[in-house]
Amino acid sequence: MTHEESDRAFRLAYAPGVTPAKWAGVWAERMPEVPLTLVASPAAEVAELLRGGGADAGFVRLPVDRDGLSVIPLYMETTVVVVPKDHVMTAADEVSLSDLAEEEVFHPLDDVIEWTARPGLPAFERPATTADAVQLVAAGTGLLVVPQSLARLHDRRDLTYRPVTDAPQSQVALAWLTDETTDLVEDFIGIVRGRTANSSRGRTPASPAEKPARRQTGKAGQGGKTGQAGRTGQGGKTGQAGRTGQGGKAGQGGKTSQGGKAGQGGSGRRAAPTARAKKGRRPR
């Protein structure tokens, strides 16, 4: 993190219906020195807010103009129809677009669903906002099709909703300016993608613990194995703790340690003395 980044908050924009609380909570745990500021924005304005420097990253609803933006699609939302609680559609657990064919359906100007053909019959007006459309549904003048999060956002006691199984869905994505991919942005991407604190992208990983030096097996000497406490004999194995002294035991097949003499023919037995000392007579 640069000094400039540590002197300010991380600004996160979000469209209506998106709930960034869980990611903000993780941020507060991992980055307590950098406060996170939430910036609410209409769905259609989040991208321009990012381009204008009003936020460091933001949750947008696709499709969005991606010029200059990096975008990571996150999840799809269930589409629902908002109806009065006494409406006939509440008898079913879910409905289809064909069930809306004879119903007046509001299409607010801030609609976030991309329709190829609008469902139902056109309502008597196009409300400016989803919130205005919800008020009209409560008045019994029509129905409204929205992502489930928006139905929850504008929840009322006199309204309910049902999933529309074959309706287009709204997709939520994380976006930021490509040229402003800072360490803080990388940290937030890691949180959204579920990375652990130690695997956050863009950070230098901690140095792994230094491995202990491998114990040497003590292979030394020419053609021979060294053992503990000086197994070193040239061409042969000496006894433990350096069994090498004069008259020492030779190795098998005539292998001798330094300072030891092998018997003829490689018997490996101790060499016989060449002569015995004769008892001399005491001089007179």
Side-chain angles (χ1 to χ4, degrees):
M1 181 191 313
T2 65
H3 178 71
E4 181 180 354
E5 288 174 333
S6 64
D7 287 342
R8 63 180 176 84
F10 183 74
R11 299 161 301 166
L12 178 65
Y14 65 100
V18 180
T19 53
K22 62 179 180 180
W23 296 301
V26 177
W27 178 277
E29 293 176 1
R30 295 187 187 178
M31 311 286 289
E33 73 281 5
V34 181
L36 187 148
T37 300
L38 296 176
V39 182
S41 173
E45 298 178 12
V46 176
E48 289 307 313
L49 184 67
L50 294 172
R51 293 189 181 96
D56 301 293
F59 291 108
V60 299
R61 290 187 180 273
L62 300 181
V64 67
D65 180 6
R66 300 196 181 197
D67 184 30
L69 295 179
S70 294
V71 178
I72 300 176
L74 298 177
Y75 59 90
M76 304 289 291
E77 281 203 71
T78 299
T79 301
V80 301
V81 58
V82 180
V83 300
K85 281 193 172 181
D86 58 355
H87 196 277
V88 64
M89 286 191 183
T90 60
D93 292 331
E94 58 186 27
V95 300
S96 65
L97 290 175
S98 61
D99 295 325
L100 305 178
E102 301 301 319
E103 300 285 346
E104 290 190 9
V105 179
F106 292 107
H107 185 221
L109 296 177
D110 65 352
D111 190 5
V112 296
I113 297 177
E114 192 174 32
W115 297 100
T116 54
R118 297 176 188 173
L121 301 173
F124 66 92
E125 70 169 297
R126 288 197 67 184
T129 66
T130 297
D132 293 337
V134 169
Q135 296 289 340
L136 293 172
V137 173
T141 56
L143 308 182
L144 175 65
V145 179
V146 292
Q148 183 171 310
S149 64
L150 289 180
R152 290 174 174 172
L153 179 65
H154 300 289
D155 181 50
R156 292 173 52 117
R157 292 183 179 180
D158 53 349
L159 298 179
T160 187
Y161 58 84
R162 293 292 185 269
V164 183
T165 56
D166 55 350
Q169 295 178 312
S170 174
Q171 187 170 25
V172 175
L174 177 66
W176 69 94
L177 283 180
T178 303
D179 292 339
E180 296 295 332
T181 308
T182 64
D183 283 346
L184 292 181
V185 170
E186 291 283 13
D187 286 332
F188 190 75
I189 293 170
I191 290 173
V192 171
R193 283 186 161 173
R195 298 193 190 111
T196 63
N198 292 331
S199 65
S200 294
R201 190 176 176 185
R203 297 300 190 190
T204 303
S207 299
E210 188 174 325
K211 295 182 179 180
R214 185 177 180 181
R215 185 175 181 179
Q216 296 182 355
T217 59
K219 292 185 178 180
Q222 298 176 357
K225 296 181 179 179
T226 64
Q228 294 179 352
R231 295 184 180 177
T232 56
Q234 293 183 353
K237 297 181 180 178
T238 66
Q240 292 185 355
R243 293 183 182 175
T244 57
Q246 294 181 354
K249 292 183 180 179
Q252 295 178 355
K255 296 178 181 177
T256 65
S257 57
Q258 287 183 344
K261 187 173 182 180
Q264 294 179 356
S267 64
R269 295 179 179 177
R270 182 177 297 176
T274 57
R276 294 181 180 272
K278 293 183 179 180
K279 294 183 180 181
R281 292 183 179 180
R282 183 176 298 175
R284 293 182 181 180

